[in-house]
Structures are given as C-alpha cells and as structure tokens.
Amino acid sequence: MTQKAIEFHNISKKFKHAQYYAVDKVNLSIEEGEFITILGSSGSGKTTLLKMVNKLYEPSQGSISLFGEDIANIDSIRLRRKIGYVIQQIGLFPHMTIAQNVATIPKLLQWNKKKINDRVAYLLNLVGLDANDFMNRYPSQLSGGQQQRIGLARALAVDPKIMLLDEPLGAVDAITRLSLQEELLRIHGGLNKTFLLVTHDINEAFKLGSRVVIMNSGKVSQFDTPRNIVANPADEFVYSLIESSRSQEQFWEGLR
Amino acid sequence: MIEYALEYPDKLLYPLLEHIQMLVITLMISLILAAFLTIISIYSRLLSKTLVYFFSVIYAVPSIALFALLIPLTGLGKTTAIIVLVLYNQYVLLRNFLEGLDEVDPAVTEAATGIGMTKMQLLIKIKIPLSKRALFTGIRISVVTTIGIATIAAFINAGGLGSILNDGLRTVNTVKILWGSILAAGLAIVTNTILSKFERKL
Amino acid sequence: MDNNIWLQMKDYFAENMGDFLIAVKEHLEVSLIALLIAIIIGISCGYVCFKYKKMESKIIPFFQVLRVIPSLAILLLLIPIMGTGIKSAIIALVLLSVPPVLMNTVVGIKEVPGFLIESAYGMGMTERQVFWKVQLPLALPLIFTGIKIATIEIIASATLAAKIGSGGIGEIIFTGLGLNRTDLLVIGGITVGLMTILASFIIELINRMLMRYKYLK
Ligand SMILES: Nc1ncnc2c1ncn2[C@@H]1O[C@H](COP(=O)(O)OP(=O)(O)O)[C@@H](O)[C@H]1O
Ligand SMILES: [Mg+2]
C-alpha cells in the first residue's frame, strides 16, 4: 500500500459561538506529488480546512494524518517547519530584505551561512527572479507579482514535502496571474511535492489541479479530476458552477 | 492638611479660580487662532506642513525655557504665561485638527467635490461634522496640557495653582506643596474625565 | 534685546564656563538615566500588557491618569515621600516618561497586521520568535515615537526638577528668575531648548538608520 501524503478523516470544525460547521465531515485522501486545488465560494470553509493541516486551527472532530502520522501527535512548530505556507496577503516581513525573508527559517534552524546563501540564490532563481538583483531589496521595492514569487520561495526554504497555498494569486492582476499559474505548474512539476491550493476561480482550479476539491458550505461536493467533474457533476452545486463557467465562455465566443 | 483648607479656604480657592481663568482665556485665544490656521492650511499643503513643523519645534522647547526667553520681551506675569500657553496649544490643536479632517473617507470628500462643493463648503458641511470627535480630542488634550503648563507659570508670577506650590517650596511647607499638587492633579483628572465622557457621546 | 545682554552673557561665560558645563552635564546625566529606566519599564510593561490581557486593564488606566497629572505636581508630590535630591528627581522623571513609551509599545504591537503574525506562525516560529523577530521590530517605529516624546518630557521636567534639588540647567533659569537676571534666563532657556531639539534630532536619526526599510524611495 502506498502511503498517502495527506488524509482527512471525518474532519469537522465549528468555531466558538458559530451556528454552523465551517468545515463539515470532510474525508479526503491525497497522494504524494499531487497538485490538489480546493474550489469554493467565499465562506465555504476552504481556508479553515487548510489551516487545520498546519495546526493554525484545531479541528472540532476528526483527524488529519500526513504520511500516515496523525498530526495531533506532532509538535506544531516541528510540523509547520515541514509544511510550506503561502497566503493571499503574502506576508513578507517588511523590515527584512528579500534574502532575510527567504532565510527566516533556515536561520532559526541555524544552518551555516554558505548553505543559507546557496539556498536563497537557488530559490530565487527557481521562482524566476535574478538573485543578485533582488536579494538586498526590501519587499516594498517589489511589485505584487514579484512579492508573491518571494512568498513562494520563502515557503520552499526548508524543502517541505507539502505546500499549502491559500489564494496565492488572489491579489495580482490577471496577466501576472496567468504567468504565475504557469510558474506554479513548472515548480510543482520539477519537485516531488504535494500542493494544496485554495482558489475561488474555477478556471484556476481546473487548470492547476490534478484533482479538484469542490466545497460548498463546509462540505465537499466532489473530489475528482477536472475531466471527471465536468463529465459527471456530483450535485446541483457543481453542475451550476460548471454551467456558469460555460456561459462565460459562450459570452467570449459571442465576441469573436 | 484638612485644617489648613478649613482655616484658609480662599488661599486655595483663589489660586484655583485664577488657574481656571488662565485656562479659559488661553483656550479661547488658542481655538480662534487654531481655527484660523487650520482654514488657511486647507488651501496650501506646504503652508500646513510648515506650520505644523514650526509649532512642533516650539512645542519641543520646555515651557520653563520658553517663559525664560519671553521675559526679556514681555516681562513677568499673566501676559507672558498666556502667550506661551497659546503657542503650545497651537501644535496640539493644529495637528489634531488637520489629522482629524484628513481622516474623513476620501470617497466622501471626492463625492462632495464632485457635486461642486467649494473647499470651504466641504469643510463646514462634510469634514467638520464627520470628524467632530477627533477635533474634540484635540481640544481635550490641549485643555489638559494647558492645566499642566499653567502650574509652571507661577514661577513667572502668573498666579494660579502653581503659586501654592511655589509658596510651599519657598517656605518648605509640605502642607502647601501637597495641597497645590493635589489640586493641580485633581483639576486635570476631573477635567479630563468629564471631557472624555463628553467625547465618547459625540 | 540690547547690547547689554550680550555683554552680560559674554561675562557669564567668561567667568562661569565651568559651572555652566557642570549644569549641562548634570542635566544630561539625570535625563539619560531617567530615559533608560523609562524605556526599560515602558517596553516591559507594554509587553506584559500585550501578553496578559488582564494586566492591560490594570496597567493602562494607571498610566493614563499619570499622563494627565501636571508634571510639576508629580515632581513635588514625591517630596513628602522621598525628600528632595537627585533620586526623587529621577523617580519623578521616570513616572512622567513611562506613559508615552508604554502606550506606544502597546499600540505598536497591536497594530502589527494579523496576516504577518499568521505567516510567522505558519512558517513554524515559536511564540517567542514571533515576538522578537516580527512583532517587536514592526512595533519599533511607534516605540521610537514614544521614546522621542519621553525624551522631550524628561529634558523639560528635568529643568523643573532643579526645584527639588537635582541641579542642571533649571538652576540657572531659577537663579535668573530669583535675581531678575535676563542673561541667565536667556542662557538657560536657549540651552534647554537646544538640548531638546538636538535630542529629538538624534533620536530621529537613529530611528531612520534602524528603520531604513520605512524610508525607501
Ligand atoms: N477565526 C474564525 N472565527 C470564527 N469564525 C470563523 C473564523 N474563520 C472563519 N470563520 C467562519 O468560518 C466560515 C468559513 O470561513 P473560511 O474558511 O475563511 O472560508 P473561505 O476561505 O472559503 O472563504 C465562514 O463562515 C467564516 O465566517
Ligand atoms: Mg479564505
């Protein structure tokens, strides 16, 4: 039996004072090296689901295991250092240079200087930026797209096996977005890592995901390859999602 | 302590009233001047920056030094005290006024300008009503600052609560020092509390 | 001001340069000691307020009231308790200057955006690392503003503290007031004024050097 990279076992989360479950009995099983996208409208529980993986949130019920190990038994600091985490607001530290940002965790792990410098240069090149040019700049001196590339580089710093990306392209313009999507696919292809990417853009979800999780009010409506989802929508919600995308397309076709 | 107050009530009451009088006069002059400076600042960014910077430098100079420097020009007494107090207040008031007015949502001011309001109409009809709390905060801070610095003015014979302290220091009379300090602190705390209550209702 | 004053001032410096320098030294010493203590207390109390929400509702109101009380009253209220002298002066100055440092520390830490803190935790920082590497450095610009306000307050009040026997430039001013000597008033006033302006300038300079990232093009 091959080991699963991430398994959600009947995971639920209800926030204090909340009426409803933000995440409701989710069961998912994800293979190593997959690129999973999580699609759903705002408030459907995507972020909550993601944050339970790196223990920023505690589940109310259920368990999550990474490579067969229940994360409840893993120290949260140790766990998070093995998981890359990228958010929409990027969260680069404004008081640190690009190099210092990328090197944050390697420094905390007391890598030697040479190893850190090599790693920073390697990562900046990996995300398509000239290391010599960018290393000593501050985040405020970068464009939004460049900042998000650095966010990605920082998350990859200590070579995590799992990457959590919460609407990483949500704040960049449409053209930059397309090039960053290609970049994400390229980076994922070159490394044997499991990507879990949240988006509310159906095109992005279907373009990037080897399999797509479709969420609706805390529940998983469907979890399958883009092709299968389009062929057999599991429920009314998924069906209407695909239809709305189709009508968009017809609109574009009509302009030809 | 209590005996002293019972025996010489006017020795405490008179300085207190004098202090309040100094406060009221200062405040009236300060507000008129600050309102004027704020309005002309609205028409010129450069002027507004220059004014704030100028008053910030004055504000940084200790009051006792400012008193000392003015004595050769305006002599000892209330006039000098009030000039210094007004100068200090300008920084507090002007900064709070300008910042308060600036915090009004740009979308609102744009909309108002869009329907053809002049800068003055914008100020009176939109900005002041929307930022009245911030404006009032400035006034409260300047009142408290004035009460504090006015105690120091007694060293240049301006009277007020500081004169009790000054007397006490000269005659090494702890009772007087205590009464002076307590009245000054009490006046500041009570005024601040009342004004804060009022401010929250705005 | 007539020529007479300039002559008097020249005479003063010719005869009393030594005393003048001692007064400057005393003033700076008392101020610097008080400032250092105030910074330490202010930042630590700020940290305690941030760490223990229950303490915040006790510490903050205390210092808020303290901030409202006239400096002279605080300075003199200590006489019955501590007597006169440099020690009481320093304690009073500390009391006067802790509030701006403390308040700005609390606000500075609170104003660090939540998503930055979340990123920091998300990448595997411990609570302590998040504080030292992210929250404190990002609160620093506001803390510096607090330190600047504290410095101005201290230098000003240290002048008044001459009244409770701490020496310094205040002595020159009060002597001038007592003897009705304009030259002393002008010398004292200008010296203290220059001291505060210079001190805030130096703090601003350090601030800009440390927080270079804030002042990029
Ligand atoms: N920290 C929180 N405390 C309370 N409720 C929350 C919190 N975070 C999210 N929620 C609620 O949980 C639901 C799902 O939120 P979220 O996971 O952020 O959705 P999404 O990322 O899909 O937009 C929403 O109803 C939201 O209001
Ligand atoms: Mg979300």
Side-chain angles (χ1 to χ4, degrees), chain A residues 43 46-48 166-167 198:
Chain A
K46 309 180 295 291
T47 296
T48 308
D166 193 348
E167 307 203 24
V198 162

Side-chain angles (χ1 to χ4, degrees), chain A residues 15-16 18 22-23 40-49 57 166-167 198:
Chain A
F15 287 102
K16 245 189 238 165
V23 168
S41 41
S42 163
S44 57
K46 309 180 295 291
T47 296
T48 308
L49 188 69
Y57 289 159
D166 193 348
E167 307 203 24
V198 162

Side-chain angles (χ1 to χ4, degrees), chain B residues 180-201:
Chain B
S181 308
I182 290 171
L183 284 176
L187 181 64
I189 293 174
V190 170
T191 315
N192 186 55
T193 312
I194 295 173
L195 293 180
S196 300
K197 282 236 165 75
F198 188 72
E199 189 178 316
R200 250 170 261 140
K201 286 207 187 110

Side-chain angles (χ1 to χ4, degrees), chain B residues 57-80:
Chain B
V57 172
I58 291 187
Y59 189 78
V61 178
S63 51
I64 187 76
L66 218 48
F67 286 135
L69 289 174
L70 271 181
I71 289 172
L73 304 173
T74 53
L76 291 165
K78 281 209 172 63
T79 316
T80 306

Side-chain angles (χ1 to χ4, degrees), chain C residues 18-203:
Chain C
D19 290 347
F20 175 77
L21 290 179
I22 288 176
V24 172
K25 183 179 140 262
E26 281 172 347
H27 206 106
L28 290 179
E29 257 172 19
V30 170
S31 301
L32 212 60
I33 294 173
L35 182 64
L36 286 180
I37 301 176
I39 291 174
I40 294 170
I41 295 182
I43 296 183
S44 342
C45 283
Y47 176 71
V48 169
C49 286
F50 153 74
K51 190 86 197 278
Y52 308 99
K53 293 283 167 284
K54 270 192 200 131
M55 293 304 287
E56 184 176 348
S57 56
K58 295 197 177 86
I59 296 178
I60 298 280
F62 171 75
F63 281 104
Q64 255 164 357
V65 171
L66 204 59
R67 198 178 205 176
V68 169
I69 300 177
S71 332
L72 193 60
I74 291 188
L75 223 44
L76 300 188
L77 272 172
L78 278 181
I79 295 182
I81 309 169
M82 299 273 312
T84 55
I86 289 193
K87 250 196 213 152
S88 358
I90 289 179
I91 292 180
L93 296 180
V94 169
L95 282 175
L96 283 167
S97 53
V98 165
V101 181
L102 166 70
M103 307 289 180
N104 281 39
T105 305
V106 173
V107 175
I109 296 177
K110 268 191 194 160
E111 276 185 0
V112 176
F115 68 86
L116 280 181
I117 296 172
E118 195 189 280
S119 302
Y121 278 114
M123 59 204 286
M125 285 196 196
T126 62
E127 204 175 324
R128 182 178 296 187
Q129 288 162 346
V130 173
F131 180 76
W132 287 104
K133 304 241 173 247
V134 181
Q135 284 167 308
L136 190 66
L138 289 177
L140 223 47
L142 259 186
I143 296 178
F144 254 88
T145 309
I147 292 178
K148 195 161 130 188
I149 299 170
T151 308
I152 294 173
E153 174 70 49
I154 285 178
I155 296 180
S157 301
T159 319
L160 298 176
K163 278 277 176 198
I164 66 169
S166 74
I169 307 293
E171 215 136 85
I172 299 177
I173 294 179
F174 287 118
T175 308
L177 282 170
L179 303 178
N180 202 4
R181 273 188 46 189
T182 312
D183 58 331
L184 294 187
L185 291 178
V186 174
I187 289 171
I190 289 182
T191 308
V192 182
L194 283 180
M195 258 186 204
T196 29
I197 292 171
L198 209 68
S200 19
F201 179 74
I202 291 173
I203 292 177

Side-chain angles (χ1 to χ4, degrees), chain A:
Chain A
M1 191 187 98
T2 59
Q3 217 162 43
K4 307 285 184 203
I6 311 173
E7 282 172 295
F8 295 84
H9 307 284
N10 226 8
I11 275 285
S12 295
K13 172 76 186 178
K14 192 168 152 188
F15 287 102
K16 245 189 238 165
H17 310 302
Q19 309 275 0
Y20 305 95
Y21 279 89
V23 168
D24 200 356
K25 301 201 198 77
V26 167
N27 286 288
L28 298 170
S29 164
I30 295 160
E31 308 284 343
E32 181 166 18
E34 276 197 280
F35 196 140
I36 303 294
T37 53
I38 305 175
L39 173 67
S41 41
S42 163
S44 57
K46 309 180 295 291
T47 296
T48 308
L49 188 69
L50 211 62
K51 282 186 181 174
M52 285 190 283
V53 178
N54 62 2
K55 287 177 89 171
L56 285 173
Y57 289 159
E58 285 286 321
S60 310
Q61 281 121 44
S63 66
I64 297 174
S65 18
L66 303 184
F67 300 101
E69 198 179 357
D70 187 343
I71 61 168
N73 303 326
I74 307 176
D75 169 60
S76 50
I77 303 298
R78 223 172 51 103
L79 175 80
R80 287 173 195 154
R81 289 188 182 169
K82 291 188 181 158
I83 300 177
Y85 184 49
V86 181
I87 57 176
Q88 180 180 341
Q89 305 95 320
I90 310 173
L92 294 184
F93 302 130
H95 59 298
M96 297 182 188
T97 62
I98 298 311
Q100 287 167 338
N101 262 288
V102 175
T104 310
I105 292 299
K107 260 191 209 143
L108 290 180
L109 295 175
Q110 295 176 330
W111 288 12
N112 68 48
K113 239 197 170 109
K114 165 111 180 49
K115 192 173 167 197
I116 292 182
N117 290 341
D118 290 350
R119 184 73 186 159
V120 169
Y122 165 80
L123 286 167
L124 291 187
N125 289 330
L126 179 70
V127 298
L129 295 174
D130 178 24
N132 288 327
D133 186 6
F134 282 89
M135 231 160 44
N136 295 319
R137 293 205 209 172
Y138 284 92
S140 64
Q141 297 171 304
L142 268 58
S143 73
Q146 289 168 337
Q147 287 187 27
Q148 196 50 286
R149 285 170 196 259
I150 302 299
L152 201 61
R154 185 175 70 175
L156 288 165
V158 291
D159 209 12
K161 283 194 143 63
I162 292 172
M163 290 284 285
L164 306 177
L165 306 113
D166 193 348
E167 307 203 24
L169 311 182
V172 297
D173 63 83
I175 294 173
T176 312
R177 193 175 179 129
L178 284 179
S179 76
L180 280 175
Q181 285 172 355
E182 296 300 335
E183 207 82 335
L184 275 174
L185 282 173
R186 182 179 60 76
I187 292 168
H188 175 261
L191 312 159
N192 184 31
K193 296 187 191 310
T194 312
F195 277 36
L196 215 57
L197 179 143
V198 162
T199 177
H200 58 247
D201 176 350
I202 183 169
N203 294 324
E204 185 167 289
F206 281 48
K207 173 177 172 190
L208 297 180
S210 52
R211 286 196 289 166
V212 181
V213 178
I214 297 182
M215 288 192 73
N216 182 21
S217 358
K219 293 197 171 66
V220 172
S221 291
Q222 194 165 7
F223 178 34
D224 214 330
T225 60
R227 189 174 296 276
N228 288 345
I229 291 178
V230 176
N232 300 303
D235 62 14
E236 202 54 31
F237 176 75
V238 180
Y239 181 78
S240 64
L241 210 62
I242 296 168
E243 278 311 297
S244 72
S245 183
R246 282 229 171 92
S247 71
Q248 280 272 334
E249 215 159 290
Q250 277 160 13
F251 165 73
W252 284 107
E253 285 300 315
L255 289 182
R256 273 214 173 164

